[in-house]
């Protein structure tokens, strides 16, 4: 039986985990160093690379691979690391939704502090920087990529915004960000991450994000301190997690919102990457 509940890191009302059963990925899983990565290659070699940071359910769920393939069709080399091959939040994930057992497991981790510990294992300084900067970017550069964009969804907004402080990255886009929740578990300051940005950023929140991460909130103010006139915040009238997890085959408004988000990503990338 499926339970329509988000994991404890997501706000109430967030979309549950989703497996897209009828989509056949066009990319491939590649092992780069010690890390599995989904690679979607463009029709011809490209100097433009995109690093995608998944939500906490991982690259094998939702529309992560489908999005990577759509971006690759537009001439981008796209990589989505499987950060959860080690230290997964949800081992043995169900086929769809979130079962009572997996919700109970996540709640146990949350109540026992194991969720926070797992998050601390994934922080930028603990492991993510080495996986991205030390392993993934050199591989992508060998394939011809010279400049990069970062994308993040929910949990993955943290890593995408960390990349936005690096000189190789020309832009970043994050949807329904859980940067504040990640940082709370990791003992970091989400607004400080905003203040460290070095490139244009688009942030799309939902009605469930906290006030600080809504348009006009503290996060937008901190981003604009870092990169004045290069920050775009807006709210989408969807549930947290919609870009990867909304059932678009049953909801035309969700489908339109997802397509709007994909176009927003492409517009940003085309405006900032040569």
């Amino acid at each position: 039986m499926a339970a329509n509940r988000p994991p404890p890191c997501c706000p109430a009302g967030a979309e549950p985990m989703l497996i897209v059963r009828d989509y056949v990925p066009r990319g491939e899983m590649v092992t780069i160093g010690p890390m599995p990565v989904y690679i979607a290659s463009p029709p011809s070699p490209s100097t433009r690379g995109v690093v995608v940071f998944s939500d906490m359910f991982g690259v094998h769920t939702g529309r992560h691979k489908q999005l990577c393939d759509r971006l690759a069709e537009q001439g981008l080399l796209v990589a989505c690391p499987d950060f959860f091959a080690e230290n997964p939040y949800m081992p043995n994930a169900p086929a769809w939704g979130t079962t009572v057992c997996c919700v109970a497991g996540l709640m146990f981790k949350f109540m026992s502090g194991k969720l926070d510990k797992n998050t601390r294992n994934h922080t930028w300084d603990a492991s993510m920087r080495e996986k991205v900067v030390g392993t993934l970017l050199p591989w992508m550069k060998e394939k011809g990529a010279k400049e990069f964009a970062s994308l993040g969804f929910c949990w993955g907004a943290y890593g995408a915004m960390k990349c936005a402080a690096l000189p190789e990255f020309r832009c970043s886009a994050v949807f329904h960000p859980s940067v504040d929740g990640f940082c709370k578990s990791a003992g970091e300051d989400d607004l400080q991450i905003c203040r460290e940005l070095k490139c244009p950023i688009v942030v799309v929140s939902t009605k469930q994000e906290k006030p600080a991460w809504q348009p006009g909130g503290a996060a937008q103010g901190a981003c604009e301190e870092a990169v004045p006139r290069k920050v775009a915040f807006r709210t989408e009238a969807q549930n947290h997690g919609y870009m990867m997890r909304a059932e678009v085959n049953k909801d035309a408004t969700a489908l339109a919102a997802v397509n709007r988000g994909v176009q927003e990503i492409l517009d940003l990338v085309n405006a900032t990457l040569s």
Side-chain angles (χ1 to χ4, degrees):
M1 183 176 73
N4 190 22
R5 301 173 186 172
C9 71
C10 294
E15 297 287 350
M17 189 177 72
L18 175 69
I19 296 293
V20 180
R21 300 185 183 192
D22 58 353
Y23 182 74
V24 179
R26 294 191 289 275
E28 60 180 340
M29 292 301 300
V30 175
T31 300
I32 302 174
M35 181 174 59
V37 183
Y38 182 75
I39 298 295
S41 298
S44 58
S46 176
T47 60
R48 305 189 299 169
V50 179
V51 180
V52 178
F53 292 80
S54 75
D55 64 25
M56 75 171 297
F57 295 117
V59 62
H60 301 295
T61 70
R63 281 180 289 277
H64 292 97
K65 294 177 182 178
Q66 189 173 9
L67 172 67
C68 293
D69 292 346
R70 289 181 69 175
L71 297 179
E73 288 176 353
Q74 302 302 313
L76 304 169
L77 175 62
V78 187
C80 186
D82 182 4
F83 291 111
F84 308 132
E86 298 177 314
N87 300 313
Y89 285 98
M90 188 182 299
N92 303 316
W96 186 88
T98 44
T99 65
V100 172
C101 290
C102 81
V103 169
L106 279 170
M107 288 303 298
F108 172 75
K109 287 184 176 181
F110 178 72
M111 297 298 292
S112 67
K114 289 185 177 180
L115 191 70
D116 288 352
K117 181 179 179 181
N118 206 4
T119 298
R120 290 192 290 271
N121 288 333
H122 291 297
T123 63
W124 190 250
D125 290 338
S127 64
M128 194 179 288
R129 184 208 316 265
E130 177 56 30
K131 290 177 178 178
V132 175
V133 179
T135 301
L136 180 58
L137 290 189
W139 185 93
M140 296 181 75
K141 289 176 181 178
E142 287 182 1
K143 300 298 180 181
K146 295 181 179 178
E147 50 188 1
F148 299 87
S150 63
L151 304 180
F153 303 92
C154 305
W155 181 96
Y158 167 89
M161 292 186 71
K162 281 289 192 177
C163 284
L166 302 176
E168 294 94 337
F169 285 81
R170 301 290 185 262
C171 65
S172 181
V174 298
F175 293 79
H176 30 85
S178 294
V179 183
D180 53 339
F182 188 109
C183 288
K184 182 178 179 180
S185 292
E188 298 185 28
D189 182 348
D190 57 319
L191 298 184
Q192 183 58 32
I193 291 174
C194 296
R195 297 186 188 101
E196 294 171 355
L197 297 177
K198 297 290 191 297
C199 64
I201 188 167
V202 169
V203 180
V204 180
S205 298
T206 68
K207 58 190 176 184
Q208 286 117 353
E209 265 64 74
K210 292 182 179 178
W213 282 85
Q214 297 289 347
Q220 181 173 359
C223 290
E224 290 179 345
E225 287 180 31
V227 284
R229 299 179 299 280
K230 296 180 180 180
V231 177
F233 263 68
R234 71 173 179 88
T235 302
E236 187 67 72
Q238 294 290 320
N239 291 328
H240 177 97
Y242 77 95
M243 280 293 288
M244 293 297 113
R245 310 196 302 258
E247 291 190 86
V248 296
N249 60 323
K250 298 180 181 180
D251 187 341
T253 61
L255 176 60
V258 169
N259 287 335
R260 190 160 46 244
V262 173
Q263 188 58 54
E264 199 162 11
I265 292 167
L266 290 170
D267 290 344
L268 177 66
V269 168
N270 288 332
T272 54
L273 275 66
S274 57

